Amino acid sequence: MATLKKKLVQWEPTDIKEELLKKYPPKVARKRAKQILINEAQENETPEISANVRTVPGIITMRGCTYAGCKGVILGPTRDIVNITHGPIGCGFYSWLTRRNQTDASAEGAENYMTYCFSTDMQDEDIIFGGEKKLEKAIQEAYDTFHPKAIAVFATCPVGLIGDDIHAVAKKMKEKLADCNVFAFSCEGYKGVSQSAGHHIANNQIFRHVVGENDEEKDGEYKINLLGEYNIGGDGFEIDRILKKCGITNIATFSGNSTYDQFASAPKADLSTVMCHRSINYVADMLETKYGIPWIKVNFIGAEATAKSLRKIAQYFGDKKLIDRVEEVIAEEMPEVKAVAEDVYPRTEGKTAMLFVGGSRAHHYQELFAEMGMKTLSAGYEFAHRDDYEGREVIPTLRVDADSRNIEEIEVEADEARYSPRKSSEEMEKLEEAGFKFKHYDGMIPDMDKGTLIIDDLNQYEAEKLVEILKPDVFCAGIKEKFSIQKLGVPMKQLHSYDSGGPYAGFKGAINFYKEIDRLVNSRIWGYMKAPWQETPELSATYVWE
Ligand code: CFM
């Protein structure tokens, strides 16, 4: 172990970057160079990072496809919509319960279709002669069997290639079935450069076909929406527990542990809180434009971040009763969190981490590591956009390329009957003067130290190189990375599925995470692994870039 620790800090970030790029053909190296940024940690002076661009073919990316982002990520956690994959069976099968979103269907009469895998199972003849009839039959069959309140149809790559009009089929069946909302998503896997395009396609259609469908008033005080929280490993359950304890009413979660009615009722909230900015910021914007609901960024990953987010919500409503209750809850929850943090701290302090996850967790989880005294050496997203790195200020300057133009932007206007500003402009100004920021996200970069490496769309080759050079105490990514990293002698924590652990959100989640990471970074088993560079030490400190 001692020999491994020695290797830290002996590489300059510029040398590491050169080392990562060295093997590539010049054209690929030039492209990747723009996606690898050495952090200046100076607000607003950070040079731009290239993100949301195509992966070079042949590179083993960590990304997923557009269909995965639509069907799996956004619609996956909603229990009472029948989700039919129109395509060959593999797409439906692969997205069948592979994401660890949980749901609570224990209420009497609760519908839950999440455990089912619905697919049209397209065959060669459907590809040749068209699959619309088969889709129509599948919708009818699902309706006859379950009588769900909604059926969603998802396009896979071949559907787009052969030109099946899934929207026409959905429209026809909606009219025919009358008491079932049927809508479709043109989320062919190839549609965008990653799953991020699928989030956008999914949210547009949910906004168009479901949001606002239920106009009934909802009970409760301090009504919020929780956007971009997907209840992975029960995170949403923990957040809901805390919100409830504070007396805050969660009208709709998009989309962890959600139902059709939650989406339909979202306009009834008085504040939208955004967890995962990447996957859902456009819904927050649309809810504001159409219904007048302001939005703020929150983060329930990390105990301090959770406390801060609760205080922000309370400050927004500005009611003394809520402000006091939130303080009481924080005071009640924190001692246990602090006790565990203090216990692990001597063992975790000074340890190092790398995080390459999706489009928000690589940022959020740095909070939890910081609470344990751990330092993030390098981090990056798989598919986030520049605003998730550099902050929302860059949005007006984002380049619209052929791939992003491919994804529909829906025009939303204020709803004549239902638009009502939740706060007067004076009240909003007052909050802003007191330091409150609406529609605001600074991104990952300002929170990272100078000299750290921020890498977009990291691939397998670069991941192994990075680990080899910097030897972190823990590497965080997903299942595809898990074993190649562990074979290098470094513990690997899955931050998508949590390795079947969790929850890690909120106060109880922080406790789980501290304990888990303490076990991982202090396990002696990693010391027994022989990594290739331990046998070929020329790759260590003696290396000089020419
Ligand atoms: Fe948002 Fe997510 Fe993420 Fe994401 Fe995801 Fe996920 Fe993720 Mo895996 S919505 S961007 S597409 S926080 S499934 S719950 S863990 S890559 S960092």
Side-chain angles (χ1 to χ4, degrees):
M1 288 297 268
T3 53
L4 301 181
K5 273 195 185 144
K6 236 178 24 195
K7 287 184 185 170
L8 262 180
V9 300
Q10 290 173 354
W11 285 73
E12 287 298 321
T14 42
D15 295 339
I16 298 168
K17 183 168 173 176
E18 291 207 55
E19 181 69 15
L20 293 181
L21 298 172
K22 203 169 76 177
K23 272 264 168 70
Y24 290 131
K27 215 175 141 193
V28 178
R30 274 200 301 278
K31 187 167 186 292
R32 286 300 298 150
K34 293 186 199 146
Q35 290 175 275
I36 302 175
L37 189 135
I38 298 159
N39 195 16
E40 298 294 329
Q42 291 164 333
E43 225 174 322
N44 300 326
E45 282 180 36
T46 318
E48 69 180 62
I49 188 165
S50 170
N52 192 31
V53 291
R54 289 182 190 184
T55 304
V56 176
I59 279 183
I60 304 178
T61 175
M62 296 174 177
R63 285 173 167 176
C65 72
T66 299
Y67 160 81
C70 182
K71 195 262 183 186
V73 174
I74 305 295
L75 272 299
T78 307
R79 63 176 167 267
D80 57 359
I81 299 178
V82 166
N83 291 329
I84 302 179
T85 298
H86 186 36
I89 196 63
C91 303
F93 183 77
Y94 181 72
S95 58
W96 183 26
L97 302 180
T98 41
R99 184 163 176 260
R100 283 192 65 235
N101 34 242
Q102 300 181 6
T103 201
D104 176 9
S106 61
E108 207 181 313
E111 293 165 69
N112 180 13
Y113 308 115
M114 270 167 61
T115 51
Y116 292 91
C117 174
F118 300 94
S119 171
T120 51
D121 183 21
M122 283 177 107
Q123 302 295 322
D124 299 7
E125 63 176 70
D126 305 314
I127 301 290
I128 295 163
F129 300 108
E132 290 174 13
K133 289 218 166 59
K134 198 169 192 187
L135 175 61
E136 218 177 291
K137 269 176 78 181
I139 295 170
Q140 186 68 53
E141 193 183 330
Y143 179 80
D144 293 341
T145 315
F146 297 103
H147 294 281
K149 49 178 78 73
I151 297 176
V153 174
F154 301 87
T156 55
C157 294
V159 170
L161 296 174
I162 64 172
D164 273 1
D165 190 346
I166 55 170
H167 302 285
V169 176
K171 193 164 170 250
K172 182 179 165 193
M173 292 309 286
K174 182 179 171 171
E175 280 160 17
K176 185 180 172 199
L177 303 176
D179 66 346
C180 177
N181 193 354
V182 188
F183 41 90
F185 301 84
S186 288
C187 57
E188 290 85 353
Y190 59 75
K191 198 81 180 240
V193 300
S194 68
Q195 53 266 65
S196 167
H199 305 150
H200 205 157
I201 293 163
N203 285 315
N204 280 350
Q205 290 297 72
I206 288 296
F207 198 82
R208 188 180 267 143
H209 295 279
V210 188
V211 169
E213 286 292 298
N214 185 354
D215 234 354
E216 278 167 34
E217 284 310 318
K218 293 275 166 185
D219 293 339
E221 287 181 297
Y222 316 120
K223 293 173 195 165
I224 67 163
N225 291 322
L226 179 58
L227 308 182
E229 169 24 68
Y230 300 93
N231 204 20
I232 307 298
D235 277 352
F237 294 149
E238 165 65 0
I239 298 171
D240 277 339
R241 179 189 72 85
I242 298 167
L243 292 176
K244 209 170 158 200
K245 201 170 168 184
C246 294
I248 298 165
T249 309
N250 183 6
I251 298 287
T253 301
F254 282 61
S255 53
N257 189 31
S258 64
T259 57
Y260 180 88
D261 186 61
Q262 287 187 30
F263 298 147
S265 307
K268 296 288 150 193
D270 294 317
L271 173 71
S272 289
T273 59
V274 174
M275 265 287 279
C276 166
H277 175 266
R278 177 63 270 133
S279 61
I280 204 126
N281 69 89
Y282 18 73
V283 171
D285 279 339
M286 292 190 287
L287 283 169
E288 176 157 30
T289 312
K290 190 163 179 183
Y291 302 103
I293 308 170
W295 71 265
I296 54 168
K297 175 80 178 70
V298 292
N299 176 21
F300 290 102
I301 303 296
E304 291 296 342
T306 300
K308 204 171 139 193
S309 298
L310 292 173
R311 288 184 175 124
K312 245 170 130 174
I313 296 170
Q315 194 190 348
Y316 168 81
F317 286 103
D319 200 335
K320 184 152 189 317
K321 186 177 89 178
L322 178 63
I323 294 169
D324 290 348
R325 181 62 193 147
V326 159
E327 290 309 324
E328 269 169 42
V329 170
I330 295 169
E332 252 176 67
E333 298 278 335
M334 272 302 194
E336 198 189 339
V337 176
K338 286 264 149 60
V340 179
E342 272 162 34
D343 172 45
V344 302
Y345 204 87
R347 295 186 297 275
T348 53
E349 192 197 3
K351 300 260 186 204
T352 57
M354 286 183 187
L355 301 89
F356 292 94
V357 207
S360 79
R361 293 187 173 183
H363 180 199
H364 288 164
Y365 275 79
Q366 292 186 32
E367 291 265 353
L368 274 172
F369 282 119
E371 287 174 2
M372 308 173 77
M374 288 178 65
K375 187 174 151 43
T376 302
L377 299 175
S378 182
Y381 300 120
E382 287 168 50
F383 51 75
H385 302 195
R386 275 183 57 209
D387 37 319
D388 306 291
Y389 288 104
E390 300 171 58
R392 284 179 64 88
E393 295 77 32
V394 305
I395 290 178
T397 66
L398 292 185
R399 204 166 55 86
V400 182
D401 60 10
D403 294 303
S404 34
R405 201 171 297 124
N406 208 12
I407 311 304
E408 184 193 23
E409 283 284 348
I410 52 176
E411 286 293 327
V412 177
E413 285 173 8
D415 185 305
E416 262 178 45
R418 290 183 286 184
Y419 180 87
S420 84
R422 297 329 202 243
K423 298 253 173 205
S424 67
S425 42
E426 296 86 66
E427 284 172 318
M428 292 289 272
E429 263 167 42
K430 244 185 152 180
L431 280 166
E432 275 165 353
E433 274 162 24
F436 211 87
K437 290 175 176 168
F438 291 99
K439 291 171 88 120
H440 179 88
Y441 179 45
D442 272 335
M444 170 200 280
I445 284 175
D447 280 342
M448 290 187 67
D449 290 345
K450 194 170 172 138
T452 50
L453 283 158
I454 296 161
I455 309 178
D456 183 63
D457 189 16
L458 187 80
N459 56 56
Q460 183 176 12
Y461 169 74
E462 291 168 12
E464 292 193 8
K465 271 275 163 218
L466 262 189
V467 168
E468 182 186 307
I469 295 168
L470 284 171
K471 192 73 190 171
D473 292 297
V474 64
F475 188 95
C476 304
I479 186 64
K480 302 194 286 294
E481 294 74 54
K482 175 112 188 148
F483 301 101
S484 67
I485 297 298
Q486 290 194 161
K487 281 176 189 168
L488 300 176
V490 168
M492 197 281 181
K493 179 67 194 164
Q494 292 188 66
L495 282 190
H496 302 257
S497 74
Y498 298 164
D499 294 295
S500 305
Y504 296 139
F507 300 113
K508 292 212 171 1
I511 293 170
N512 287 339
F513 196 76
Y514 300 155
K515 289 180 176 169
E516 174 76 11
I517 295 300
D518 174 33
R519 279 193 294 263
L520 270 178
V521 300
N522 290 301
S523 164
R524 285 167 52 203
I525 190 125
W526 311 106
Y528 299 122
M529 300 253 192
K530 266 270 173 273
W533 66 87
Q534 289 170 281
E535 284 160 14
T536 51
E538 69 271 16
L539 283 171
S540 74
T542 53
Y543 186 88
V544 177
W545 175 255
E546 290 156 351

